[in-house]
Amino acid sequence: MNTWSITGYGGITKFFGDIKEYDFKLGQNEKLTGGWGLSVNKQLSPIFGIQLTGFNGQLQGSKQGHYSSLSGNTYDVFFNSPSFVQVTLDGTMNLNRLLFGYKKLRRWKVDAHLGGGIIYYHTDLTATNTNPESPFFGTEWKVSTNTDGSSKTSGEWERNGSTYTREWVVPAGLAVHYELTPRFDLGLDFTYNYVNTEKMDATVGGLSDYQSQQGIWTFAKGESKNDGWGMASIALTYKLGKNAVRAKKGVYDAGSGRYHLRWANPQSLIPVPYNPTMDDADSIAKANMPKPVDPRLYTDSDGDGVADLFDKEANTPAGSVVSGGGVAMDLDKIIRDAIKNNLPKDECEALFSNIEFDTDKAIIRNPSKETLSKVVELLNMRTNCRIVLVGHTDARASDSYNVALSRRRVDAAKRFLVRAGLTDPSRIIAEYYGEYRPIAENTTVEGLQSNRRVEIKILPNNTIRSSYPAGFRR
């Protein structure tokens, strides 16, 4: 963020001390005085900052009938400080951010400032005796602080042969700024400066005798308060830094440029973490949810081992030997035709069939033995075919137990094929999936029976071993 800026001041000055007729009106012989200034500002946070400020200006004051307790005379007095220079270091506090936060009065900045520094000044004073009973009635005296004597009270600064009186000063004020553009702010400022002397107007309250100048050039302390001066000015601020931007309707975008710390809260530039509500999370989940899988892909209404989505004959009788499209096949006829027609041995029919088991059993039933015997006869004739045995269970046990049970069922079928005369047992491929591939619901007796099965697939040697992912095989 940008933190540096420069402010120029121009306005009206006013003296506050002994030689003044009114606080906010011009006295006799007084003219409107002014001054200008320049400050270099460093913003430390959105609320606090510091500034190095310099002022140059003019002060005047007058008073009629000013009484001196030393001489007992009254005087009409006029003083002029034609040029003073002041340098201070001030701290600033942004009151509206402190009191109202960052969302109200976004374009306004109300700063209270307080500091300390040094003022160099010289004063020329003219006093006219107005006491008719005095032998010096109507006589005029002149007093100037830019003399060798004046330096004895406050110190001196030689510049172009003149002597400037030096004093400590404490400025305090209030400034109101408005953010015009990303670069410029316009404001009003009033500063009252407490000067550590009552002799800025060459007068000691109640103790000055202008005829003898008694009390003016001594360390006497009069009855009045220390002097001061104020300035009401227009302030124009130029904000330094690169890529200057300002917030739009209270919205900050860190990628658009650099905001100035005079106006922006750094926390506003940190993106608010997104914490979705339950409704948001539900909407996101629904938007990213995959499309529903066609239920026909994992259902097998007739229990022939072919999903309904691909089954061309959806109502084959239980125990039927089917083709890859789920069409019932006459295994006896296929074998007879193969033997009769002496088909080449490198051709295989894709046969699918299921043999079922009793609950928690791995014993081949008699109807299944007949089916397996026909498979042996076909394989011995088609020497270039292989058989895939895939074991399954219902869901009424643990996963690990069901996987082991499906393996025992496959092993039982394999043993039967070998004992039934299969000439090449290496052509048998065994796979087992436990309860993970049901073809029916596990909530009915019929569904449980359909899931307790070993699928028989007869495929050519050059085909993939199984239609299931190989990585899933136990």
Side-chain angles (χ1 to χ4, degrees):
M1 300 185 70
N2 297 326
T3 59
W4 290 92
S5 61
I6 298 175
T7 302
Y9 305 88
I12 301 171
T13 58
K14 178 66 178 177
F15 174 75
F16 297 95
D18 293 313
I19 307 305
K20 65 175 177 59
E21 195 74 31
Y22 311 101
D23 282 341
F24 296 104
K25 291 175 62 177
L26 297 176
Q28 186 178 9
N29 299 324
E30 284 186 65
K31 296 180 180 180
L32 192 66
T33 59
W36 65 275
L38 187 70
S39 68
V40 178
N41 318 303
K42 170 68 173 178
Q43 201 70 28
L44 303 178
S45 74
I47 297 178
F48 298 101
I50 56 174
Q51 60 186 36
L52 182 65
T53 307
F55 281 110
N56 177 248
Q58 182 183 12
L59 294 171
Q60 289 184 355
S62 65
K63 190 170 186 177
Q64 293 180 307
H66 179 63
Y67 176 75
S68 171
S69 61
L70 288 177
S71 63
N73 293 316
T74 57
Y75 302 87
D76 287 345
V77 187
F78 169 78
F79 88 90
N80 179 43
S81 182
S83 178
F84 68 87
V85 176
Q86 176 175 299
V87 178
T88 62
L89 181 65
D90 301 353
T92 64
M93 178 186 295
N94 192 336
L95 297 180
N96 65 307
R97 291 288 181 268
L98 186 65
L99 298 177
F100 305 114
Y102 296 93
K103 294 184 179 180
K104 294 183 179 179
L105 302 173
R106 293 191 184 100
R107 290 278 183 262
W108 294 93
K109 185 173 188 286
V110 181
D111 276 345
H113 56 91
L114 177 68
I118 298 175
I119 184 172
Y120 292 88
Y121 69 91
H122 72 267
T123 299
D124 299 318
L125 179 142
T126 300
T128 303
N129 192 317
T130 58
N131 184 3
E133 299 179 358
S134 172
F136 300 102
F137 174 72
T139 304
E140 185 178 276
W141 289 275
K142 294 183 181 295
V143 178
S144 179
T145 61
N146 59 337
T147 65
D148 292 339
S150 67
S151 65
K152 295 178 182 179
T153 63
S154 303
E156 63 183 20
W157 174 36
E158 295 290 344
R159 189 181 70 172
N160 299 326
S162 62
T163 301
Y164 276 73
T165 302
R166 180 183 69 243
E167 269 298 352
W168 296 107
V169 63
V170 176
L174 189 69
V176 179
H177 297 269
Y178 181 78
E179 187 182 25
L180 291 175
T181 70
R183 287 294 185 188
F184 289 98
D185 301 336
L186 184 65
L188 298 175
D189 179 274
F190 179 78
T191 302
Y192 185 91
N193 300 272
Y194 298 86
V195 184
N196 188 37
T197 181
E198 61 174 339
K199 300 179 183 180
M200 193 173 182
D201 54 0
T203 300
V204 180
L207 298 179
S208 294
D209 179 16
Y210 301 109
Q211 177 181 347
S212 66
Q213 298 188 9
Q214 184 178 356
I216 299 176
W217 310 129
T218 67
F219 290 99
K221 174 65 178 175
E223 60 188 23
S224 63
K225 296 180 180 179
N226 286 344
D227 297 333
W229 69 277
M231 180 173 176
S233 60
I234 296 175
L236 181 64
T237 299
Y238 179 77
K239 291 168 284 189
L240 303 174
K242 57 184 180 180
N243 301 327
V245 294
R246 64 174 181 171
K248 296 180 180 180
K249 296 181 179 180
V251 177
Y252 296 87
D253 179 12
S256 63
R258 299 181 66 171
Y259 296 89
H260 204 284
L261 195 56
R262 280 171 61 93
W263 299 97
N265 179 12
Q267 293 179 345
S268 301
L269 301 177
I270 302 174
V272 179
Y274 174 56
N275 295 316
T277 63
M278 291 300 296
D279 291 340
D280 293 339
D282 186 59
S283 298
I284 294 171
K286 289 180 179 178
N288 292 278
M289 186 177 295
K291 294 181 179 179
V293 178
D294 192 330
R296 297 178 299 164
L297 185 62
Y298 52 83
T299 57
D300 182 9
S301 301
D302 55 7
D304 60 0
V306 179
D308 287 354
L309 184 64
F310 306 107
D311 200 340
K312 297 179 180 179
E313 189 175 330
N315 297 313
T316 54
S320 298
V321 178
V322 298
S323 66
V327 178
M329 302 178 66
D330 188 345
L331 187 59
D332 290 338
K333 183 176 184 301
I334 291 173
I335 294 173
R336 288 195 303 270
D337 289 345
I339 296 173
K340 178 180 178 181
N341 298 324
N342 195 23
L343 296 176
K345 294 184 178 181
D346 58 352
E347 296 181 5
C348 296
E349 295 287 346
L351 304 180
F352 294 80
S353 181
N354 295 338
I355 59 174
E356 297 179 349
F357 294 81
D358 294 327
T359 301
D360 198 23
K361 301 292 184 182
I363 300 173
I364 305 297
R365 293 176 172 180
N366 290 330
S368 299
K369 292 179 180 179
E370 183 179 352
T371 300
L372 291 173
S373 297
K374 293 177 181 179
V375 170
V376 171
E377 185 178 354
L378 176 61
L379 289 176
N380 286 338
M381 179 187 66
R382 300 284 183 91
T383 57
N384 199 32
C385 296
R386 66 174 63 191
I387 182 172
V388 181
L389 302 177
V390 186
H392 303 276
T393 69
D394 60 34
R396 293 183 297 173
S398 66
D399 294 345
S400 59
Y401 182 85
N402 284 335
V403 170
L405 177 58
S406 64
R407 181 174 184 175
R408 292 200 303 271
R409 288 172 176 170
V410 170
D411 290 342
K414 181 177 180 180
R415 284 195 301 270
F416 183 88
L417 292 174
V418 174
R419 293 172 181 175
L422 183 62
T423 57
D424 186 3
S426 65
R427 293 156 63 192
I428 301 174
I429 299 172
E431 297 181 359
Y432 35 91
Y433 296 94
E435 63 183 84
Y436 293 109
R437 291 291 186 265
I439 60 173
E441 297 291 337
N442 283 295
T443 57
T444 64
V445 174
E446 293 79 7
L448 292 170
Q449 178 62 68
S450 297
N451 291 331
R452 297 192 297 269
R453 71 195 188 281
V454 169
E455 297 175 356
I456 301 172
K457 302 179 182 181
I458 300 176
L459 302 172
N461 268 333
N462 58 355
T463 60
I464 300 175
R465 289 169 51 179
S466 172
S467 60
Y468 293 94
F472 195 83
R473 180 165 52 85
R474 300 296 182 96

